[in-house]
Amino acid sequence: MSSVDTGIIDPPPPPPPAPSSPRRRWVRRVLLLLLVLVALMGLAAWYFLGTTAGARLVVQQATGFAGEGVKVEGVEGRLFGGLRIQRIEVDRPDMYILVQDVEFDTAPPLFGRVDVRKLAVRSIEVRTVSTGAAAKIPVSFKPPYPVRVEELRIGELRLGELVRGAPRDANRAKDVVIRDLFVKGGGDERHWNLEEASAVTPYGRGRVSGTLGTTAPFDLQAKGDFAGRFGDRDVNVALVAKGQLTEFVAYASGDIGGTPATVRATIEPFAPVPVRSLDANARGLDVRQLLPDAPSTKLDVEAKLVAEGKGFAGPVRLTNAAPGPIDRPRLPVTAATARVRVLPERVEVSDARVELSGGGSATGRATVERARVQADLQLAGANLAALHTQLQPTRLTGALKVDGTPQGQRIEGSLADPRFQVEGRAAVAADIVTIDTVRVKHRGGSLTASGTVGLKGRREFRLEGRAEHFDPAAIVKTRPGDLNFAFTTRGTLEGGPAGEAKVDLAASRFAGLPALGRIHVAGDAKRVRDADIDVTLGAARLLAK
């Protein structure tokens, strides 16, 4: 068959594809690499944030950065979303910290913010070596990121001293212990906001809230309250603080055992003496409401103290609107004034003057240092009948001296009335008063005694002595006499006097009648459990067994 020419020309074949440029190939490779890196970062984030192994690795690295003496044990859970640490210990020559049973739940730090949902710690123990230097204020309190804490709880916070060369808990009895600590709040670059904080101390529960600036002068605004017990009495106090962290004024007002009281203090926390001034007032204070064994009082107390040297000092004044004799029981003092100086381990009282019931006064000075007392007192015109209803009216004048030594306190006194004189020497050591001698002299007669009296526990006592031509009416409200006797007595004072007494009465006279005999009794204020009495008074004779 012959071909037919149609007049249509066939199109040329398409050209081969152009090769890719090197630039496009690199773009694709970079994008692929970025995708791989993102995937790897996601896997790494999942490893670090979502696994226990990742959390342990992060904690291990942080422990290495913290330096020597840091150990972390028992890490479980995830870095974000629920982390538990059994034990964190920092053991260094000048510091020891032990943190036990930590539960930490926080959200990932997105958008430059840290949100702590919960941080719970069973116990924290902090011990540091005391240098005696004042604390230094930080340059700034700014957090690296805004922080929000919804719940922080610490079961027990124990703060104590670390003594070089001594066991770690050598001073454990002096630790400050705070329990059930709760904190809620947050902070940013401008200020910290403490919405709520509370804790339980050995004296009661306290709460506080407020704000603190993160940069100097660190503006401070805070308020709080405290509710507790002193003895068997309620204590309720409201607190307010205003100023800057370097110096602020604190106000406290409340009710202490039924007594209203106010305190105004200027405080510089970073000064060698933090309390720069203190004004305290209390009205109608009944000491017996706080200390059941104390006499009843109605005291107005005023104190104005300012910083001085390493302590603070100033005048203190007491006035008692309800004075009375000690056997009623009341305090036989109407007013007292003194200048008080309080140092870290020493209290000094100077220019003291005490106005006594029934007239008379006591003046002098005293120093208390580590349970040692030194005092010099002068008594003028004291009326014993105003001090105790069974004593005779007097105008006693004399001196009383207390000299503290490492072994205890030595006490010496000499008092005189127109009718008699009293002299005595005693010592106080190991909670025992040792009476070397007490001698009461009047015209033609005397009474001497010695013995011991315990100050703690059962308060055991033992006394012995003798009288020669002694007239008890010279001191006590009773019939006149001319007594000659020897006596011994022993027992306890806890819960009331109890024990035994023996008196051998030689030829004497009482109420104008001759007297002779012996007395031996044993028992307490409620019951005589043993008696052997044979006493003759005039024509009468008493026999009891």
Side-chain angles (χ1 to χ4, degrees), residues 309-388:
K310 294 183 178 180
F312 46 95
V316 175
R317 178 176 178 81
L318 307 177
T319 56
N320 185 14
I326 59 177
D327 58 321
R328 289 222 168 150
R330 291 188 178 273
L331 183 68
V333 172
T334 59
T337 60
R339 186 179 189 275
V340 178
R341 187 182 183 204
V342 181
L343 299 171
E345 296 183 354
R346 181 184 176 98
V347 176
E348 300 174 356
V349 179
S350 60
D351 301 329
R353 182 177 180 85
V354 179
E355 304 292 342
L356 302 173
S357 300
S361 63
T363 59
R365 62 180 181 83
T367 301
V368 180
E369 183 176 9
R370 295 182 179 180
R372 293 169 52 189
V373 179
Q374 290 182 313
D376 286 301
L377 300 175
Q378 301 293 324
L379 198 66
N383 183 2
L384 290 182
L387 274 62
H388 196 291

Side-chain angles (χ1 to χ4, degrees), residues 384-421:
L384 290 182
L387 274 62
H388 196 291
T389 58
Q390 298 300 313
L391 298 179
Q392 294 281 16
T394 63
R395 291 188 60 82
L396 276 178
T397 300
L400 179 66
K401 182 178 181 180
V402 180
D403 186 12
T405 68
Q407 289 74 35
Q409 275 73 244
R410 296 288 306 172
I411 304 172
E412 295 184 9
S414 177
L415 304 174
D417 180 78
R419 291 171 298 168
F420 64 89
Q421 294 178 326

Side-chain angles (χ1 to χ4, degrees), residues 136-150:
K136 295 182 179 180
I137 188 168
V139 176
S140 172
F141 287 107
K142 286 185 180 181
Y145 303 101
V147 178
R148 173 67 186 175
V149 178
E150 289 295 334

Side-chain angles (χ1 to χ4, degrees), residues 35 37-38 73 81 158 161 164 213 229 263 326 359 429 440 477 484 496 544:
L35 290 175
L37 289 176
V38 169
E73 300 175 357
R158 181 178 292 271
E161 184 181 3
R164 289 191 175 99
R229 302 276 292 179
V263 176
I326 59 177
V440 181
K477 294 178 180 178
N484 299 279

